[in-house]
Structure formats: structure tokens, C-alpha cells
Amino acid sequence: MKKFEYLIVLLDNSATSFCYYDNPSYSTGNSDLISLNLLKRIIKYANKNSMYINYLYPKQKLPETYNKIIEKDEHIKILPIELRSKNNKAIYVINPDKIKQIKNIPQNANLNLILRLPRQKIKDLSEIFELSINKCQRFNLILLDIENFKQEDLDIYAQQLVNIQKIVTGLYQSGRTVEINFVSDRILLTQMNNCDAGTKHLTFAPNGKFYLCPAFYHQNPENSVGDLANGIEIINEQLLHLNHAPICRNCDAFHCKRCVFLNKLTTNELNTPSHEQCVISHLERNTSKYVLEKLKPLVKEFEKHENIPDLDYLDPFEFVTEMPKKNLNEKQRQTQIPEGLKSFEKMTDREVLFSIYQMLKEISNKLPNK
Amino acid sequence: MLNNNTYKISKPPESWGGIQSKSVTFVVTENCQLACKYCYLVGKNSKNKMSFEVAKKTIDYLLDHKSLFPSPSVIFDFIGGEPFLEIQLIDKICDYFKISAFEKDHPWFESYRFSFSTNGILYDSPEVQKYIEKNRMHLSIGISIDGTKRKHDLQRIYPNGKGSYNDVIKNIPLWISQFPDASTKVTISRDDIPYIKESVLHLWELGIKSVNINVVFEDVWKEGDDEKFEQQLMELGDYIIEHKLYENHHCSFFSENIGKPNFDNQNWCGAGKMLAVDYQGNFYPCVRFTPFSMENKQAIVTGNCYEGINLNKLRPFLTLDKKTQSTEECINCEVATGCAWCQGANYDFADNETIYQRSTCICKMHKARVRANKYFWNKLENVNNLVNEKV
């Protein structure tokens, strides 16, 4: 069986979303709690397969019997912010209807926060960010409704990021080490670190079935990829991997979630991101670049991080489809080829092909040596 | 080494406009007089016909968005069903394009082509002939004739089962006289294999010098078909060499460039680079993605003539490469060049909703074609060397 690192368990049909997808049952409170028997079985399954469990909680409190079972094994809780307690190991989700309550969270709470920000609120992002950032040790921003973004939404986000990059620079200069998914992650990463739904993790729903992620369950329970009795089968599973994603494998927005659900929704293919997703990730990447360049001379901690190169596009689709590398001059090469790909330029065609596709040696030997 | 540049057998006539052209397909009707057994248009009907309004909106959209369609030339493909069933509509569409492109000073006014794939039954009708006369300098017309009567009538039949050969053959001389460089497209399914040789030769005898021929992409091939196919091609090859037909005739089964390892990563199919529009005004990556050609899947709509193209839906098509959709066996295949695929068929036959799963139904047939080509080109080289030695 394929090895997954962790399992997301939806404790209830109305469990909070923690990502791009919407769960209509969360707002309506249409509860359908996982059965105790199923919970026990999935914990056993996860333990047997060395999978770490992340529990997604609904708004309402669980029966005590459930808590007792859950607490027996190591896990992570993802809860709506209204269930905030002193448990700092948990991740708290601020859903759109609770944004106004951020001000009630005490300063220095050191929370791991996920802010799910609706499109209409992006114009207030820097303000919300400033209000939130002193209350957490990690701040995760999730923009909602990306599938309906227009250019003006991207422009507003770009402007908000300009405001935020100044706030963040000041923050890091003052010695705070808060993690911010859309700024610091790209600075720290040297390779793709995407969501990896269906490759590193799976989701288990209260109906007893597995899904690539909770989004696929909430979209349609028929999207299942298996169950406890019959096992897991992901058809065309290779399309979840980076090497089967023609746009993403040419990209260095390493922090991008590369959300396969949004991909499917917007382009019909799991391996192909929409223009808007790419632009958002590149605006964030460029924010990281700005912050890094500002801080490198000022803060010792930042000296060790690799520079983030200039790019003259915001959507690698343009690079993939319109800019074959052989036609680039030196200046274009510097600005248009992501750092991670530059090493390929020094290789012969044969070496490039060999390293990318891991061809059989006897075949690669037939290639011309140029 | 044989220099096959001198032989027409592997050289198709140059297509108008080449890759510089934007191909726009108008599916003017989903109706056809015929019910060909191998036709991939599984949902043909007499109900769905394009309105002039839809065509007009589409042309307006194309001409008004030069940045989206920067090609210097355009080819409008009219297909169906059978396009000549709607010749009056087509005439109106063509006139509208010409007038609009002129009025808008669009570069396509100077560089356009109207192209047809027809069953040929209505070719001699006064309406069609009038249209041809009017647009003669901007026309390409391909009549589908499959070969000998028994081969043609095996597949290309009316709904009542009657063969259509006699109704098509009567129009071939007129067609050839009007389009001397015309070529035809022949489709080979299982039952047709024994008639390949005679059919290609028959078409050449009719004066059709270029025969584009391919086996169907569908999962119809059975054990042993490849050997019979190879045998037919070898016999055809023998005849071609014996009668020196390689000098003046083209058949797309023969190419010296097929059957080698393929290290490039290009997609074979042009779906997505072209645009098809149906009677509802919906846009598709090509006609094979329209609802009436889908057997197992939902159609893939990439926009419509009212709201324009959804570029996000086109991204998978425009970034699709060979290796991402192929199995390891195909990637490492020693005889890969020349092996074709149809993106629409791949999607329709895939295990789930993706265009990234290449169908390999024709694998054995391709390999048989490669073997036959090897035989043919070796023999041709030997024959010519002997001739040269004598000289």
C-alpha cells in the first residue's frame, strides 16, 4: 500500500473548513457526528499505517467519550476559533463570520491561526493582519473564492501585500520570529512544499470513506477514493505528483499550496493550476523576496537564506508556453528562469532528459551528445 | 542511404497556412445523411443546428479579440455531421466574416481559408456548386471516400444499411476537376483491414493523389489484427515499388521517419490550440470534445461566444506534453515516432475525468505499421541501388 504521512479525520459532517473549500454544513450546523465505532477503527487504521491524525472539529463540543478516545494517541486538533482554549498545540481557524472577534483574542497568545478571508474582505487584509499578528506564533492566510477572482481582486491583493511587507519587515527587524505562510515560508523553503493531498495525506469522512482532501468530500461524497473495507485506489494517482504538473514543475513559488481541488475546479485537471492561483502565489513570492532583500543586511538570521531571483512574469504558464529557454538572452535568462532550474542549463540535452525522466541508460546513450 | 525527399509517397501536400493559422471549427449541424459504423460522433441528430446569430457572435468575438487570436491567418473548418446540409447558412457565415474582417481592417481578411470535410453526397448540388464558385480561391474541400466499393460500403452506410459509394463516386470527377490537388481521408477499422491495399490503389486510380489514412483510435483491435494489417501494408508497398507509384502518389501510412525512439516532449494533438463552436455557441478544444462526440464523459466546454474563452479551461491543453500523459512503456518505446493519439479519444476512454491518460489501443497497430515501413523502405532502397548499379 502507498505510504501516507498523515490522515485528516472529519469528526463531524459540519467540521470547520481550514482551507479554500467551503463546508455549507458548518454554517447551518447540520451535524452528523462520526460514529464512535468508526472513530475507533480509523484510529486503529492510522496507527497500523503510521499515520499521524489531524482532527477537524465542528463548532459544537464533542461527547466526552470521543474526547477520551482521541486523547489516547498523539494528534493535532484543528478547531474553529470559538472553541479556543489554552491548548497551544491546536490550530485555530478564523472563519469569515468570526473575523470581527479577532480583537478579543489576547495579545501574545502564541496561537497557530488560519484566517479564511473572503474575497470581499481582501481590501482589509493588512488591517486584519496587523491586528492578528501579535497574537500568534504562526499566521496562515487562506484566500477564499479564488475560483471567482477577477483582475481587480488580484490588484487589491497586490496592494495589500505591499502594506504587509512593510509591517513584516518591521516585525522581523524588531526580533519577532512569527511564521507567516505567505511571506516567511518561501524564504525558508528551498524546494516545493505543497499541500500534497493524496500523496502525503488523505482524509477520512464520517461516512467511513477516504477522500483526497475534505474539499472533495464536501463537493460530492461520490468523490471517494476508498474505504476501510476495500482499501484505497486513486485513479491516475501520478497526476498528483509535481513531476506530472507541467506548470508547477517549472515554478519556484515553493510555498504555494498547489491545491489540487482548486485545480480541478478551475481547469478540470488536478495537475493544472488556474491563472489566478499562480498570480497569487507569485505576488506572495515577490513579497517574500522584498522582505528577504530588506532584511538580509539588517538581520543576521536572514543572511543564510538563498536569494529569491527576479522574474518578469507572475504566471509560469507564460514561461512554459511562450519562452523556450534556447531563445533567451542572458538578461532574460537571469529574470525568467527560476533558480531551481538553472542547473539544467549547464547539462547536455542527454543529461537533462536522463535526470528528468530517469530513462533507461541504454536509451539515453542513443541521444546525441550535445 | 535512400533520399526519400525525392519521393512523394511520404510527403503530403503542403497544408495552407501551416502552423501560422488559427483553426476555427464551426459545427454547423449534428445531422448527417450517413450512419458510418466507425464514426466517433456518437450523438448525431437532426435537431441541433447552428443559428446564424451564434455564428455571427462567434465571428464578432474572434475579430474583436486580436490579442487572444494573434495568428496571421485563419482557417474556418465547417464540419458536422455533414456541413453541406447547411450550405446556405455557411454561405451567410462566410459572407459575414468577409464583410466584418474588411470593415474592421482585420489581417485575416487578407489571409483566410474555408475548409470542409464532407461525405460528398451533395457536392454537385446547385447550392454547393454556387458556393464553390463564389469562394473558389479560398477553399479546401475534402471528400471522405474510403476506397473500393466493398470497403466504402462496409462502413459508410445510410441509416437503412445501404452503402453510399455510388452516391459519392459520381461526384469525384467534378471534385478532382475543381480541386486537382485534393486529398481524401480514409479511416480503417477492424473489418476494413483486408481491403487496405485495394482501396488505396483505387483512390489513386480515381485521381486522388494524396491519401491520408489512419486506423481508428477506439478499442476495437483484436489479437492478430496487427499481423493482417502489416501484411496489407507490405503488399501495398510491393505494388507501389513494382509500379513506381512512390514517385507521384502519397499515402500517409508510409513515412521513413516513423518507428524510432522519440525524445522530444511535444504533444501530438492540437486540441486546445484550435477552437470549435457548436450550435449553442459553446467553445470546445476541438470537435472531439463536443457533447455529441462523447461516449463516456461530459463534454469539455472552454467558453462560449457570449462570454468568451475561459483561459483557465485551456491551460491543461496548452501545457500538455507527451511524457506527462504517457505510460513508461510509451516514453521508453523504441519505435515511438509516428505513433499518434487523439486527445478527445484519450479523455473519453480515460479511467477518470482527465486528458492526461494516453490511450494505447493502437499500440500493436502502430508497431505493425513500423514493421511494414521498415520492409518497404529497405526494399525501395535495394531496388534503387540495383537500378543505380546497372546505370
Side-chain angles (χ1 to χ4, degrees), chain A residues 80-121:
Chain A
I81 190 70
E82 46 269 50
L83 295 184
R84 184 171 59 84
S85 70
K86 286 181 181 168
N87 180 356
N88 275 359
K89 268 194 84 178
I91 299 169
Y92 291 105
V93 182
I94 303 169
N95 282 303
D97 60 331
K98 298 295 175 198
I99 290 174
K100 280 186 182 162
Q101 294 185 19
I102 294 175
K103 61 178 186 296
N104 300 331
I105 302 172
Q107 296 286 325
N108 306 316
N110 285 330
L111 299 177
N112 188 340
L113 284 182
I114 297 174
L115 172 66
R116 299 182 65 240
L117 190 72
R119 186 157 57 110
Q120 299 77 5
K121 290 267 184 192

Short mmCIF file of all heavy atoms in Angstrom, two decimals, chain A residues 80-121:
data_model
loop_
_atom_site.label_atom_id
_atom_site.label_comp_id
_atom_site.label_asym_id
_atom_site.label_seq_id
_atom_site.Cartn_x
_atom_site.Cartn_y
_atom_site.Cartn_z
N PRO A 80 -12.48 25.44 15.17
CA PRO A 80 -12.91 26.81 14.94
C PRO A 80 -12.51 27.68 16.14
O PRO A 80 -12.47 27.18 17.26
CB PRO A 80 -14.44 26.70 14.82
CG PRO A 80 -14.80 25.37 15.36
CD PRO A 80 -13.60 24.50 15.29
N ILE A 81 -12.19 28.93 15.87
CA ILE A 81 -11.62 29.81 16.90
C ILE A 81 -12.53 29.92 18.12
O ILE A 81 -12.07 30.13 19.25
CB ILE A 81 -11.30 31.21 16.32
CG1 ILE A 81 -10.49 32.07 17.29
CG2 ILE A 81 -12.56 31.93 15.88
CD1 ILE A 81 -9.08 31.61 17.50
N GLU A 82 -13.84 29.73 17.90
CA GLU A 82 -14.76 29.86 19.04
C GLU A 82 -14.54 28.78 20.09
O GLU A 82 -15.04 28.88 21.20
CB GLU A 82 -16.23 29.92 18.58
CG GLU A 82 -16.65 28.90 17.55
CD GLU A 82 -16.50 29.36 16.11
OE1 GLU A 82 -15.41 29.84 15.76
OE2 GLU A 82 -17.46 29.19 15.33
N LEU A 83 -13.80 27.73 19.73
CA LEU A 83 -13.51 26.67 20.72
C LEU A 83 -12.12 26.87 21.34
O LEU A 83 -11.54 25.94 21.91
CB LEU A 83 -13.59 25.28 20.07
CG LEU A 83 -14.96 24.84 19.56
CD1 LEU A 83 -14.89 23.41 19.04
CD2 LEU A 83 -16.01 24.92 20.65
N ARG A 84 -11.59 28.09 21.23
CA ARG A 84 -10.24 28.34 21.71
C ARG A 84 -10.09 28.02 23.20
O ARG A 84 -10.94 28.39 24.01
CB ARG A 84 -9.86 29.80 21.45
CG ARG A 84 -8.42 30.16 21.83
CD ARG A 84 -8.08 31.55 21.32
NE ARG A 84 -8.98 32.55 21.87
CZ ARG A 84 -8.82 33.13 23.06
NH1 ARG A 84 -7.80 32.78 23.83
NH2 ARG A 84 -9.66 34.04 23.47
N SER A 85 -9.02 27.30 23.52
CA SER A 85 -8.73 27.01 24.92
C SER A 85 -7.24 27.31 25.13
O SER A 85 -6.61 27.94 24.29
CB SER A 85 -9.02 25.54 25.21
OG SER A 85 -8.07 24.74 24.56
N LYS A 86 -6.70 26.81 26.19
CA LYS A 86 -5.27 27.09 26.43
C LYS A 86 -4.37 26.08 25.69
O LYS A 86 -3.16 26.10 25.83
CB LYS A 86 -4.99 27.06 27.93
CG LYS A 86 -5.53 28.30 28.62
CD LYS A 86 -5.24 28.29 30.08
CE LYS A 86 -5.83 29.56 30.72
NZ LYS A 86 -5.82 29.48 32.18
N ASN A 87 -5.00 25.22 24.90
CA ASN A 87 -4.24 24.20 24.19
C ASN A 87 -3.49 24.83 23.00
O ASN A 87 -4.06 25.03 21.93
CB ASN A 87 -5.20 23.11 23.70
CG ASN A 87 -4.46 22.03 22.96
OD1 ASN A 87 -3.26 22.10 22.74
ND2 ASN A 87 -5.19 21.00 22.58
N ASN A 88 -2.23 25.12 23.19
CA ASN A 88 -1.48 25.79 22.12
C ASN A 88 -1.00 24.83 21.04
O ASN A 88 -0.40 25.25 20.06
CB ASN A 88 -0.31 26.57 22.71
CG ASN A 88 -0.78 27.94 23.15
OD1 ASN A 88 -1.96 28.26 22.99
ND2 ASN A 88 0.12 28.72 23.72
N LYS A 89 -1.23 23.55 21.24
CA LYS A 89 -0.85 22.60 20.18
C LYS A 89 -1.90 22.59 19.07
O LYS A 89 -1.67 22.05 18.00
CB LYS A 89 -0.69 21.18 20.76
CG LYS A 89 0.74 20.88 21.19
CD LYS A 89 0.93 19.41 21.44
CE LYS A 89 1.24 18.67 20.15
NZ LYS A 89 1.47 17.23 20.37
N ALA A 90 -3.04 23.15 19.37
CA ALA A 90 -4.12 23.14 18.39
C ALA A 90 -3.92 24.23 17.34
O ALA A 90 -3.17 25.18 17.55
CB ALA A 90 -5.45 23.35 19.09
N ILE A 91 -4.59 24.04 16.21
CA ILE A 91 -4.61 25.06 15.17
C ILE A 91 -6.03 25.63 15.15
O ILE A 91 -7.01 24.86 15.13
CB ILE A 91 -4.26 24.44 13.79
CG1 ILE A 91 -2.85 23.83 13.84
CG2 ILE A 91 -4.37 25.48 12.69
CD1 ILE A 91 -2.51 22.96 12.64
N TYR A 92 -6.12 26.94 15.16
CA TYR A 92 -7.45 27.56 15.22
C TYR A 92 -7.80 28.24 13.91
O TYR A 92 -6.97 28.97 13.33
CB TYR A 92 -7.50 28.56 16.37
CG TYR A 92 -7.45 27.87 17.72
CD1 TYR A 92 -6.29 27.91 18.49
CD2 TYR A 92 -8.55 27.17 18.20
CE1 TYR A 92 -6.23 27.26 19.72
CE2 TYR A 92 -8.49 26.51 19.43
CZ TYR A 92 -7.34 26.56 20.17
OH TYR A 92 -7.28 25.90 21.36
N VAL A 93 -9.03 28.01 13.50
CA VAL A 93 -9.49 28.57 12.23
C VAL A 93 -10.40 29.76 12.50
O VAL A 93 -11.38 29.64 13.25
CB VAL A 93 -10.27 27.51 11.42
CG1 VAL A 93 -10.71 28.09 10.08
CG2 VAL A 93 -9.43 26.26 11.22
N ILE A 94 -10.05 30.89 11.87
CA ILE A 94 -10.95 32.04 11.94
C ILE A 94 -11.76 32.05 10.65
O ILE A 94 -11.25 32.36 9.57
CB ILE A 94 -10.16 33.36 12.07
CG1 ILE A 94 -9.27 33.30 13.31
CG2 ILE A 94 -11.11 34.55 12.13
CD1 ILE A 94 -8.26 34.42 13.38
N ASN A 95 -13.02 31.64 10.76
CA ASN A 95 -13.89 31.63 9.59
C ASN A 95 -14.42 33.03 9.32
O ASN A 95 -14.36 33.91 10.20
CB ASN A 95 -15.03 30.63 9.82
CG ASN A 95 -14.55 29.21 9.61
OD1 ASN A 95 -14.06 28.86 8.54
ND2 ASN A 95 -14.66 28.38 10.64
N PRO A 96 -14.94 33.27 8.11
CA PRO A 96 -15.35 34.63 7.75
C PRO A 96 -16.29 35.29 8.77
O PRO A 96 -16.18 36.48 9.02
CB PRO A 96 -16.06 34.42 6.41
CG PRO A 96 -15.40 33.23 5.82
CD PRO A 96 -15.06 32.34 6.97
N ASP A 97 -17.16 34.50 9.38
CA ASP A 97 -18.12 35.11 10.31
C ASP A 97 -17.49 35.45 11.67
O ASP A 97 -18.16 36.01 12.54
CB ASP A 97 -19.33 34.18 10.50
CG ASP A 97 -18.93 32.82 11.06
OD1 ASP A 97 -17.80 32.39 10.80
OD2 ASP A 97 -19.75 32.21 11.79
N LYS A 98 -16.25 35.09 11.87
CA LYS A 98 -15.62 35.36 13.17
C LYS A 98 -14.46 36.36 13.08
O LYS A 98 -13.75 36.56 14.06
CB LYS A 98 -15.09 34.04 13.78
CG LYS A 98 -16.16 33.00 14.07
CD LYS A 98 -17.11 33.48 15.15
CE LYS A 98 -18.26 32.49 15.35
NZ LYS A 98 -19.41 33.05 16.05
N ILE A 99 -14.29 36.96 11.92
CA ILE A 99 -13.15 37.88 11.76
C ILE A 99 -13.24 39.05 12.76
O ILE A 99 -12.24 39.48 13.33
CB ILE A 99 -13.09 38.39 10.30
CG1 ILE A 99 -12.66 37.22 9.39
CG2 ILE A 99 -12.11 39.56 10.16
CD1 ILE A 99 -12.69 37.51 7.93
N LYS A 100 -14.45 39.49 12.99
CA LYS A 100 -14.63 40.62 13.91
C LYS A 100 -14.18 40.28 15.33
O LYS A 100 -13.92 41.17 16.12
CB LYS A 100 -16.10 41.03 13.92
CG LYS A 100 -16.48 41.89 12.74
CD LYS A 100 -17.89 42.40 12.86
CE LYS A 100 -18.24 43.21 11.61
NZ LYS A 100 -19.69 43.38 11.48
N GLN A 101 -14.12 39.02 15.63
CA GLN A 101 -13.77 38.64 17.01
C GLN A 101 -12.26 38.51 17.24
O GLN A 101 -11.84 38.17 18.34
CB GLN A 101 -14.46 37.32 17.36
CG GLN A 101 -15.97 37.51 17.41
CD GLN A 101 -16.70 36.27 17.86
OE1 GLN A 101 -16.11 35.39 18.47
NE2 GLN A 101 -17.99 36.22 17.55
N ILE A 102 -11.48 38.77 16.21
CA ILE A 102 -10.01 38.67 16.38
C ILE A 102 -9.55 39.59 17.50
O ILE A 102 -8.67 39.26 18.28
CB ILE A 102 -9.29 39.01 15.05
CG1 ILE A 102 -9.62 37.94 14.00
CG2 ILE A 102 -7.77 39.09 15.26
CD1 ILE A 102 -9.06 38.22 12.63
N LYS A 103 -10.20 40.74 17.57
CA LYS A 103 -9.76 41.72 18.58
C LYS A 103 -9.92 41.18 20.00
O LYS A 103 -9.26 41.65 20.94
CB LYS A 103 -10.52 43.03 18.40
CG LYS A 103 -12.02 42.96 18.55
CD LYS A 103 -12.62 44.37 18.39
CE LYS A 103 -14.11 44.39 18.66
NZ LYS A 103 -14.92 43.62 17.74
N ASN A 104 -10.77 40.17 20.16
CA ASN A 104 -10.99 39.62 21.51
C ASN A 104 -9.92 38.60 21.92
O ASN A 104 -9.87 38.18 23.07
CB ASN A 104 -12.35 38.93 21.59
CG ASN A 104 -13.48 39.91 21.30
OD1 ASN A 104 -13.32 41.11 21.56
ND2 ASN A 104 -14.58 39.43 20.75
N ILE A 105 -9.08 38.18 20.96
CA ILE A 105 -8.01 37.24 21.30
C ILE A 105 -6.93 38.02 22.05
O ILE A 105 -6.52 39.09 21.58
CB ILE A 105 -7.41 36.59 20.03
CG1 ILE A 105 -8.49 35.87 19.23
CG2 ILE A 105 -6.29 35.61 20.41
CD1 ILE A 105 -8.02 35.38 17.87
N PRO A 106 -6.46 37.52 23.19
CA PRO A 106 -5.45 38.28 23.93
C PRO A 106 -4.13 38.37 23.17
O PRO A 106 -3.79 37.49 22.37
CB PRO A 106 -5.28 37.48 25.23
CG PRO A 106 -5.91 36.17 24.99
CD PRO A 106 -6.88 36.30 23.88
N GLN A 107 -3.40 39.45 23.39
CA GLN A 107 -2.07 39.62 22.80
C GLN A 107 -1.16 38.49 23.28
O GLN A 107 -1.35 37.94 24.36
CB GLN A 107 -1.46 40.95 23.25
CG GLN A 107 -2.21 42.19 22.79
CD GLN A 107 -1.99 42.49 21.32
OE1 GLN A 107 -0.91 42.25 20.80
NE2 GLN A 107 -3.02 42.97 20.65
N ASN A 108 -0.15 38.18 22.48
CA ASN A 108 0.85 37.17 22.85
C ASN A 108 0.25 35.81 23.19
O ASN A 108 0.74 35.09 24.05
CB ASN A 108 1.72 37.64 24.01
CG ASN A 108 2.34 38.98 23.71
OD1 ASN A 108 2.83 39.20 22.61
ND2 ASN A 108 2.28 39.90 24.65
N ALA A 109 -0.86 35.48 22.53
CA ALA A 109 -1.48 34.18 22.80
C ALA A 109 -0.70 33.04 22.16
O ALA A 109 -0.94 31.87 22.45
CB ALA A 109 -2.92 34.19 22.28
N ASN A 110 0.21 33.41 21.27
CA ASN A 110 1.06 32.42 20.59
C ASN A 110 0.28 31.32 19.89
O ASN A 110 0.61 30.14 19.98
CB ASN A 110 2.07 31.80 21.56
CG ASN A 110 3.18 32.76 21.86
OD1 ASN A 110 3.52 33.60 21.02
ND2 ASN A 110 3.70 32.70 23.07
N LEU A 111 -0.76 31.71 19.22
CA LEU A 111 -1.61 30.72 18.55
C LEU A 111 -1.07 30.36 17.17
O LEU A 111 -0.28 31.10 16.58
CB LEU A 111 -3.02 31.29 18.39
CG LEU A 111 -3.76 31.66 19.67
CD1 LEU A 111 -5.11 32.27 19.33
CD2 LEU A 111 -3.96 30.41 20.54
N ASN A 112 -1.53 29.22 16.70
CA ASN A 112 -1.33 28.86 15.29
C ASN A 112 -2.67 29.14 14.62
O ASN A 112 -3.64 28.41 14.82
CB ASN A 112 -0.94 27.39 15.19
CG ASN A 112 -0.52 27.02 13.78
OD1 ASN A 112 -0.86 27.71 12.82
ND2 ASN A 112 0.20 25.91 13.66
N LEU A 113 -2.73 30.23 13.86
CA LEU A 113 -4.02 30.70 13.33
C LEU A 113 -4.14 30.46 11.82
O LEU A 113 -3.17 30.60 11.09
CB LEU A 113 -4.16 32.21 13.56
CG LEU A 113 -4.49 32.72 14.96
CD1 LEU A 113 -4.62 34.24 14.93
CD2 LEU A 113 -5.78 32.09 15.47
N ILE A 114 -5.34 30.12 11.43
CA ILE A 114 -5.66 30.09 9.99
C ILE A 114 -6.78 31.10 9.77
O ILE A 114 -7.86 30.96 10.34
CB ILE A 114 -6.14 28.69 9.54
CG1 ILE A 114 -5.03 27.65 9.72
CG2 ILE A 114 -6.62 28.73 8.10
CD1 ILE A 114 -5.47 26.21 9.43
N LEU A 115 -6.50 32.10 8.97
CA LEU A 115 -7.53 33.09 8.65
C LEU A 115 -8.11 32.77 7.28
O LEU A 115 -7.39 32.77 6.28
CB LEU A 115 -6.93 34.50 8.64
CG LEU A 115 -7.85 35.61 8.12
CD1 LEU A 115 -9.05 35.81 9.06
CD2 LEU A 115 -7.09 36.92 7.93
N ARG A 116 -9.39 32.48 7.24
CA ARG A 116 -10.07 32.21 5.96
C ARG A 116 -10.76 33.50 5.54
O ARG A 116 -11.80 33.87 6.06
CB ARG A 116 -11.06 31.05 6.09
CG ARG A 116 -10.38 29.75 6.50
CD ARG A 116 -11.38 28.59 6.58
NE ARG A 116 -11.94 28.29 5.28
CZ ARG A 116 -13.24 28.34 4.99
NH1 ARG A 116 -14.10 28.70 5.91
NH2 ARG A 116 -13.68 28.05 3.78
N LEU A 117 -10.13 34.18 4.60
CA LEU A 117 -10.54 35.55 4.26
C LEU A 117 -11.38 35.58 2.98
O LEU A 117 -10.90 35.21 1.91
CB LEU A 117 -9.29 36.42 4.08
CG LEU A 117 -9.54 37.91 3.97
CD1 LEU A 117 -9.96 38.50 5.31
CD2 LEU A 117 -8.29 38.62 3.46
N PRO A 118 -12.62 36.08 3.07
CA PRO A 118 -13.44 36.15 1.85
C PRO A 118 -12.90 37.20 0.89
O PRO A 118 -12.22 38.15 1.30
CB PRO A 118 -14.82 36.57 2.37
CG PRO A 118 -14.74 36.62 3.83
CD PRO A 118 -13.31 36.57 4.25
N ARG A 119 -13.23 37.01 -0.36
CA ARG A 119 -12.74 37.91 -1.42
C ARG A 119 -13.08 39.38 -1.11
O ARG A 119 -12.26 40.27 -1.29
CB ARG A 119 -13.40 37.47 -2.73
CG ARG A 119 -12.93 38.18 -3.95
CD ARG A 119 -13.20 37.34 -5.17
NE ARG A 119 -14.61 37.00 -5.32
CZ ARG A 119 -15.40 37.51 -6.27
NH1 ARG A 119 -14.93 38.38 -7.12
NH2 ARG A 119 -16.65 37.14 -6.37
N GLN A 120 -14.28 39.58 -0.62
CA GLN A 120 -14.72 40.96 -0.37
C GLN A 120 -13.92 41.64 0.75
O GLN A 120 -13.96 42.86 0.90
CB GLN A 120 -16.21 40.98 0.00
CG GLN A 120 -17.16 40.45 -1.06
CD GLN A 120 -17.17 38.93 -1.14
OE1 GLN A 120 -16.54 38.24 -0.35
NE2 GLN A 120 -17.89 38.41 -2.13
N LYS A 121 -13.23 40.85 1.55
CA LYS A 121 -12.50 41.41 2.70
C LYS A 121 -11.01 41.62 2.41
O LYS A 121 -10.26 42.04 3.29
CB LYS A 121 -12.63 40.46 3.90
CG LYS A 121 -14.01 40.40 4.51
CD LYS A 121 -14.10 41.39 5.64
CE LYS A 121 -15.45 41.27 6.35
NZ LYS A 121 -15.67 42.40 7.26
#
